[in-house]
Amino acid sequence: MSLPSTSIPAVSRLRAATVGDLVAVLLVLGTLVMLAQASRGLMQPLPEPGLGAIDLHPSALPEYALRTSMRMLGAMVLSLVFTFTYATWAAKSRRAEQILIPLLDILQSVPILGFISVTVVFFMSLAPGRLLGAELAAVFAIFTSQAWNMAFSFYQSLRTVPNELAEASRSFRLSPWMRFWKLEAPFATPALIWNMMMSMSGGWFFVVASEAISVGNTIVTLPGIGSYIALAIAHRDLGAIGWAIVAMLIVILIYDQLLFRPLVAWAERFRFEQEAGVMPLRSWVLSTLRRSGLVSWVLSPVAIAWRRTYRRSTQSAKAPTPIGPDRRATDWLDRLWYVTIAAVSLIALWKISAFVLAGVTPGEVGTAMLLGLATMTRVFVLIALASVIWVPAGVWLGLRPGAARIAQPIVQFMAAFPANLLFPLAVSAIVALRLDPDIWLSPLMILGTQWYIVFNVIAGASTIPAELRDIGVNLNVRGWLWWRRIALPAVFPFYVTGAITASGGAWNASIVAEIVSWGDTTLKARGLGSYIAEATEAGDFHRVVLGIAVMSGFVVIINRAFWRPLYAFAERKFRLG
């Protein structure tokens, strides 16, 4: 007996829900199994030098890829926690902003080798003689390559919420907690997700330094793709490098399908402008989870508990608030705050100077500053070239969602491609053609950081209101006039965010790009990056701190004198609404 035709849709929905539950269970169980395998042996003792060596056979790459992926995922979780706390505090508090944003400028410019050289001993002491300490050091090193641009993106979005949305939240009398989760966080989500993709890709750029740690006499090699690449470079094994590239591509595609594509599809609901006629991005993972009744049942208690926080925040918002301090008290608090900052800064400067001068001469301080000028010149030239090339390309992709979806995994892979894998080509070409390393090693600095500009410009172009584009078409606005009146004003705040992060990333990448090795051949460009890399390898902490301090000083001065005025101009002149 056949079923009535009216029941066929119900049966189809039931079958789809059953399949969705099955796939959801498999995804969750698979994730748990991967976490269990990746965490296995964390409390085992560290192997002796020469034992537990990295195996260059391709059969070892699946396990190495899993371990590297888990480290990067753990660092991404830490970066999200940091972003939602640090960036929000900076955007909401004027006093906090005055110290947190310059501090963020410094943090993004401090080379990863600098973080490793200072923190590896601390993390190793948390679990003496165990792999756990080394794993924590590696995760923290990867975190330092992911967190800063995410925090900058979220901060920029919170500061540029459209006026009409802010007025609507005030009209509905939303509490600060509800305003954040109902308005500000959703508005910042699309750009944040693009920067999460960039952060995950950027983490690959420094994964070699985080998994093959060498600080003076301390040598820690963790199983992973990064340590695999480091050994392949040392052995001049082009075949192993090729297998590493294949493994990276597979991992990036898996991340794209299981994590970032579902997030991008989910975040389209938060776009400020919803353009009619554009097909939404589809994700089989997101569709499966939405159809799964099991997932809904598991998440239901969490949703109920979350909604209760809104109710409590609304009740607290209705309570009468005490009258704030008068203007005189506020002025005294501001003065106390500035005095405190100045005192802490002077104490820190005195401590750093005493430590550095205990191991180096004043003349070497001047040498480090001259090396900083050389690296600064490279950074300026490379950022200018990257802007000329990638701003038009990013705008083109941002205005074409279909093309952006195709380009997304390609750009992710290009951003993730470590400069270390180009060392054979760079070293061989420079030696064979007798080129100047001071010039021709420079492109390696921008290889990974240029994509910060691309991702942010794409995110900015996607927010151009459809009405504005239609007006431009109707008024026949074309050519340079279209760029000057429509495209550049819309993407300028996003571009500045990307350029600031790309600039800091280029300074950071100088430690990898200014001194490169392929087997026994080593090429060095004169600059602050090679200075810090050599000091780190020698375990000379006085010169490491000197190099980091000089680099941080350069970045802070450049950001204060150039990038921050541009940022304030963009926020003031090109804010939506």
Side-chain angles (χ1 to χ4, degrees):
M1 180 178 178
S2 61
L3 291 172
S5 59
T6 55
S7 66
I8 292 178
V11 173
S12 299
R13 288 194 298 270
L14 179 61
R15 184 180 296 118
T18 303
V19 173
D21 287 336
L22 177 61
V23 174
V25 169
L26 291 176
L27 288 174
V28 173
L29 291 180
T31 302
L32 293 177
V33 169
M34 287 192 299
L35 289 173
Q37 289 182 346
S39 61
R40 184 182 55 191
L42 288 180
M43 298 309 296
Q44 292 181 355
L46 283 170
E48 297 293 331
L51 300 178
I54 300 299
D55 185 3
L56 290 182
H57 194 275
S59 61
L61 273 173
E63 180 183 356
Y64 293 166
L66 176 61
R67 287 177 175 270
T68 297
S69 300
M70 292 299 102
R71 294 182 190 115
M72 297 183 71
L73 189 60
M76 177 59 66
V77 173
L78 293 177
S79 299
L80 279 174
V81 174
F82 175 84
T83 296
F84 278 101
T85 53
Y86 192 99
T88 303
W89 189 19
K92 298 290 186 180
S93 171
R94 179 177 58 85
R95 295 192 183 99
E97 180 187 26
Q98 294 170 347
I99 188 66
L100 293 182
I101 296 304
L103 183 59
L104 198 59
D105 292 337
I106 296 174
L107 289 173
Q108 73 164 345
S109 67
V110 174
I112 284 183
L113 284 183
F115 283 112
I116 292 176
S117 61
V118 174
T119 60
V120 64
V121 177
F122 167 74
F123 284 111
M124 297 292 287
S125 66
L126 295 179
R130 304 290 178 179
L131 278 173
L132 178 61
E135 291 284 356
L136 291 176
V139 170
F140 180 78
I142 298 173
F143 161 83
T144 61
S145 69
Q146 295 180 345
W148 319 136
N149 73 297
M150 292 171 55
F152 266 126
S153 170
F154 200 72
Y155 166 80
Q156 183 260 343
S157 297
L158 294 183
R159 293 298 301 268
T160 56
V161 173
N163 290 329
E164 53 265 37
L165 295 183
E167 292 174 359
S169 68
R170 287 192 291 269
S171 299
F172 285 105
R173 297 183 179 179
L174 298 183
S175 65
W177 178 256
M178 291 185 68
R179 173 189 167 95
F180 179 79
W181 290 110
K182 291 291 189 180
L183 168 62
E184 295 167 340
F187 177 77
T189 293
L192 177 61
I193 290 176
W194 278 98
N195 278 276
M196 286 172 59
M197 290 188 285
M198 181 61 234
S199 292
M200 184 66 77
S201 298
W204 288 97
F205 191 83
F206 296 102
V207 75
V208 174
S210 63
E211 291 182 349
I213 304 172
S214 177
V215 182
N217 296 325
T218 303
I219 300 176
V220 180
T221 301
L222 296 173
I225 293 182
S227 52
Y228 183 95
I229 292 173
L231 185 61
I233 291 173
H235 288 181
R236 290 178 177 248
D237 193 336
L238 290 175
I241 290 179
W243 283 112
I245 293 174
V246 173
M248 282 177 50
L249 177 60
I250 293 174
V251 171
I252 290 170
L253 290 176
I254 292 175
Y255 264 124
D256 177 70
Q257 289 296 313
L258 297 184
L259 180 62
F260 291 121
R261 189 166 292 267
L263 285 175
V264 172
W266 172 75
E268 285 195 348
R269 61 194 294 189
F270 303 128
R271 286 170 61 94
F272 179 59
E273 289 287 338
Q274 299 290 339
E275 186 174 354
V278 177
M279 291 294 295
L281 176 66
R282 297 183 181 276
S283 167
W284 65 271
V285 173
L286 184 62
S287 300
T288 299
L289 295 177
R290 283 174 171 170
R291 287 196 299 262
S292 173
L294 179 62
V295 172
S296 300
W297 177 75
V298 171
L299 294 180
S300 178
V302 178
I304 293 174
W306 190 256
R307 285 195 292 269
R308 287 178 179 173
T309 64
Y310 291 155
R311 191 177 308 137
R312 292 176 181 175
S313 66
T314 303
Q315 293 172 354
S316 61
K318 292 179 180 179
T321 57
I323 299 175
D326 58 19
R327 181 67 181 177
R328 185 176 302 175
T330 302
D331 291 341
W332 274 106
L333 287 174
D334 287 341
R335 292 171 186 170
L336 180 60
W337 174 250
Y338 295 141
V339 169
T340 303
I341 293 176
V344 172
S345 301
L346 289 175
I347 293 173
L349 179 62
W350 174 67
K351 289 286 187 180
I352 293 172
S353 301
F355 179 80
V356 169
L357 293 177
V360 301
T361 62
E364 189 164 352
V365 176
T367 301
M369 291 183 177
L370 291 177
L371 294 175
L373 287 174
T375 301
M376 181 188 70
T377 302
R378 295 189 182 101
V379 171
F380 275 160
V381 172
L382 293 171
I383 291 296
L385 292 175
S387 300
V388 170
I389 295 172
W390 291 116
V391 168
V395 171
W396 189 88
L397 289 172
L399 295 178
R400 293 164 178 82
R405 294 165 190 168
I406 297 174
Q408 174 187 324
I410 299 174
V411 175
Q412 279 182 256
F413 178 73
M414 296 301 296
F417 197 88
N420 314 70
L421 299 182
L422 290 181
F423 287 179
L425 179 62
V427 172
S428 301
I430 291 173
V431 172
L433 300 177
R434 297 181 179 179
L435 302 175
D436 186 356
D438 287 329
I439 297 176
W440 295 101
L441 286 179
S442 300
L444 296 177
M445 292 173 56
I446 202 67
L447 182 69
T449 59
Q450 61 185 334
W451 307 108
Y452 291 112
I453 297 175
V454 178
F455 275 100
N456 279 278
V457 171
I458 290 175
S462 65
T463 64
I464 298 178
E467 296 85 353
L468 183 59
R469 281 181 278 163
D470 293 339
I471 291 173
V473 172
N474 294 333
L475 297 179
N476 200 26
V477 178
R478 297 179 180 178
W480 173 241
L481 181 62
W482 181 84
W483 282 95
R484 187 163 57 92
R485 294 296 186 183
I486 296 177
L488 292 180
V491 304
F492 190 70
F494 296 86
Y495 164 76
V496 173
T497 299
I500 292 175
T501 311
S503 175
W507 282 93
N508 203 328
S510 65
I511 63 171
V512 178
E514 289 184 348
I515 181 167
V516 301
S517 298
W518 175 237
D520 297 329
T521 304
T522 300
L523 297 177
K524 184 178 74 171
R526 287 185 293 271
L528 200 55
S530 58
Y531 179 87
I532 295 173
E534 290 179 325
T536 302
E537 185 176 357
D540 190 339
F541 288 99
H542 298 284
R543 287 175 172 80
V544 169
V545 174
L546 172 61
I548 293 174
V550 172
M551 184 175 288
S552 300
F554 269 99
V555 172
V556 169
I557 292 173
I558 292 170
N559 285 351
R560 291 290 101 184
F562 181 70
W563 290 118
R564 287 300 157 193
L566 275 183
Y567 194 96
F569 175 76
E571 181 181 290
R572 181 179 65 254
K573 189 171 181 63
F574 300 128
R575 178 170 176 164
L576 290 174

